[in-house]
Every structure is written in structure tokens, then in C-alpha cells.
Amino acid sequence: MRNERLRGYLDVILLSILLEGDSYGYDIAQQVSDQTHGALAIKEGSLYPALKRLEANRFIEGYWGTDKDSGPRRRYYRITDRGKSHLRKLQEEWNAEQRLLSVFFDKVVPE
Amino acid sequence: MRNERLRGYLDVILLSILLEGDSYGYDIAQQVSDQTHGALAIKEGSLYPALKRLEANRFIEGYWGTDKDSGPRRRYYRITDRGKSHLRKLQEEWNAEQRLLSVFFDKVVPE
DNA sequence: CTCCAAACATAGCCTATCTATGTATGTTGC
DNA sequence: GCAACATACATAGATAGGCTATGTTTGGAG
């Protein structure tokens, strides 16, 4: 999968990861890689701006990790109710989109 | 469907339209609109550059309409064998992509 | 004490689509 | 016959979201 294909899907990916529990940037990227068996890699240059965008739109809320976390500081995020309904909406749009595009993608190429 | 979502899919749409017979820009746009019941509208600013791009890559071949065509001149396009195998490849990629993304899009949002 | 992974951050780039505009041709109504 | 409109192609510039490249800080391994 050309990674550019993330365009437009990144928000859903991030929100759906946070649906399963609070997490922070670096870990989210690893979850995505794990859940797609390495097929999808979110780049840092996409990830952190996206998280800020989602936070600015109040789809997620960020907070700094507690002292007992080891390593560099981590900024955790939790999904908001607003974020959940946004996610639902995006999922529905995606389904509609797939049905629409299948008109073209399902056409059989002869030979 | 946000029209921006065409990004990456336009080539498949155009190639799959031409699979069913030679056509020209303006008519292709109408076929797309018809086949999606008006849900998808390809803008001229996307359409004509895309056709040139496909021609430059030898996925399609263009030729000017004959004298007996009425109205302004039309530039017809036919899909090449190279275009057909490209289309097949894009279709396969799309299917793989859908399977991949369904991991995130199928997650059920509670409440 | 050095080196590397974890973790966050951001400036600038890339590129496919869109907006807006322009041109030319044929048809329809009056 | 001519104004108004739909057809048809074309393109310059804007937009936007993901990527490249780079930088910083912190802690653990050897």
C-alpha cells in the first residue's frame, strides 16, 4: 500500500486506536504497524500534527504522562464523546464511499 | 463524499469508463456522474490533466473526433493493453487496501 | 561514558485535486 | 440574425494532507 493512501484515513486510524484505550503518539504508531502486520507505517511528520489537529477539534484530549512513566515524557490522549461520534460518522462515510467506488473497481478487465 | 476523496482513485475511474468503449473528456465526466447517481462529479480542472497524465504514461491513446461529430472538437481516448493491466493492478491494490483499513473502520464505537 | 532507542516536535516539500477563468463551437428561441 | 446557452477543451494558481529531514531530550545498555 502506497503510504500516501493514508490521506483522509489517518483520523479514523488514530481515533479507532484510542477507542481501545488511552495512548501516546509513539505507541499509537506501533499499534498501527502491529495491527496491519507491518503494512502500514505512520510517519512522525504525519502523526504528531494529526494528533494536534484532532485535539484542536476536541475529538481527543491530551495530558502529560505521570512521573512514574520511565523514559522521555509522553503525551497521552483519550478520545472524547465528540470524537466517538466523529469516528462513527467517518466510518459511515467510508462505507458509502466504498459502495460508490465499487462501481468502478469491480469492473472486470477482459483477457 | 468529499470530492477530495477522488485522490488516488481518479485513474481507476477514468480507465474503467474507457474499458466500456472509447470516449472523450466531457462525456466521461457525465458517465461518472450517471453511474454514481450524481454522487461523484469530476471537475474539469482534474479531468483534463488526468487524461493527459494517463496518455503520457501510455495507459490510454487520444485521437481527435471525426468531421461528422457535431459541436466543438472532441478528443477521444481508448484504453491500451498497458492501461488494462495497470487497471487490474490498481483494482487489486484497492482490494488489499480495503482489507487493511477495515481493521480500523470496522471497530465498533460503543454507546 | 558512549551509544542507541524512545518520544515529541516542526519547517519545508510534494502532488493530486479544486477553483476560477478563458476560449471556441454549435444550437435554440425570438 | 443574434443573444443566450450547453458543449468541449485547456490551464494557471490555490489548497491540503501526508512525507522528508532534522533537531531535541531522556533513559538504559554495554
Side-chain angles (χ1 to χ4, degrees):
Chain A
M1 176 166 174
R2 308 203 313 280
N3 239 42
E4 182 214 332
R5 292 313 199 88
L6 275 182
R7 183 173 279 254
Y9 302 138
L10 189 52
D11 288 6
V12 172
I13 292 172
L14 299 182
L15 289 174
S16 84
I17 292 282
L18 290 178
L19 200 60
E20 299 178 331
D22 294 6
S23 185
Y24 56 95
Y26 196 91
D27 183 61
I28 292 173
Q30 295 206 310
Q31 286 192 53
V32 170
S33 178
D34 287 352
Q35 294 188 26
T36 58
H37 311 102
L40 246 182
I42 298 184
K43 306 303 161 50
E44 294 176 294
S46 317
L47 176 63
Y48 294 109
L51 288 171
K52 284 178 190 303
R53 211 171 52 227
L54 289 172
E55 190 175 19
N57 285 316
R58 292 184 294 115
F59 296 135
I60 63 178
E61 284 170 356
Y63 56 96
W64 289 106
T66 58
D67 292 335
K68 65 172 164 31
D69 287 331
S70 66
R73 75 209 188 295
R74 296 168 174 173
R75 187 157 180 83
Y76 284 83
Y77 293 96
R78 84 178 121 254
I79 190 168
T80 63
D81 285 345
R82 187 173 149 80
K84 287 180 191 169
S85 37
H86 184 56
L87 175 55
R88 246 190 309 263
K89 180 166 146 279
L90 291 177
Q91 288 176 330
E92 283 158 17
E93 282 178 5
W94 188 69
N95 281 313
E97 188 180 306
Q98 276 192 285
R99 277 192 298 276
L100 209 58
L101 289 176
S102 66
V103 173
F104 306 106
F105 279 90
D106 287 348
K107 277 183 185 156
V108 179
V109 184
E111 266 117 298
Chain B
M1 176 165 176
R2 307 203 312 280
N3 239 45
E4 183 214 332
R5 290 315 198 87
L6 276 181
R7 186 172 274 260
Y9 301 140
L10 189 51
D11 287 7
V12 172
I13 292 172
L14 299 183
L15 288 175
S16 85
I17 292 282
L18 289 178
L19 201 59
E20 299 178 333
D22 293 8
S23 184
Y24 55 95
Y26 196 91
D27 182 62
I28 292 173
Q30 294 204 313
Q31 287 193 52
V32 170
S33 178
D34 288 352
Q35 293 188 26
T36 58
H37 311 103
L40 247 183
I42 298 183
K43 306 303 161 51
E44 295 178 294
S46 317
L47 176 62
Y48 294 109
L51 288 171
K52 284 178 190 303
R53 212 170 53 228
L54 289 172
E55 190 176 19
N57 285 316
R58 292 185 292 115
F59 296 135
I60 62 178
E61 284 169 355
Y63 57 96
W64 287 105
T66 58
D67 293 335
K68 65 173 168 25
D69 288 333
S70 64
R73 75 207 191 295
R74 297 167 174 170
R75 187 158 179 83
Y76 285 83
Y77 292 96
R78 82 178 123 255
I79 189 169
T80 63
D81 285 345
R82 188 173 148 80
K84 287 180 191 171
S85 40
H86 184 56
L87 175 55
R88 247 190 309 264
K89 180 166 147 278
L90 291 176
Q91 288 175 331
E92 281 158 20
E93 282 179 7
W94 187 69
N95 281 315
E97 189 182 307
Q98 300 304 322
R99 277 192 296 276
L100 208 60
L101 290 175
S102 66
V103 173
F104 306 106
F105 277 91
D106 288 348
K107 277 185 184 156
V108 179
V109 185
E111 264 116 302

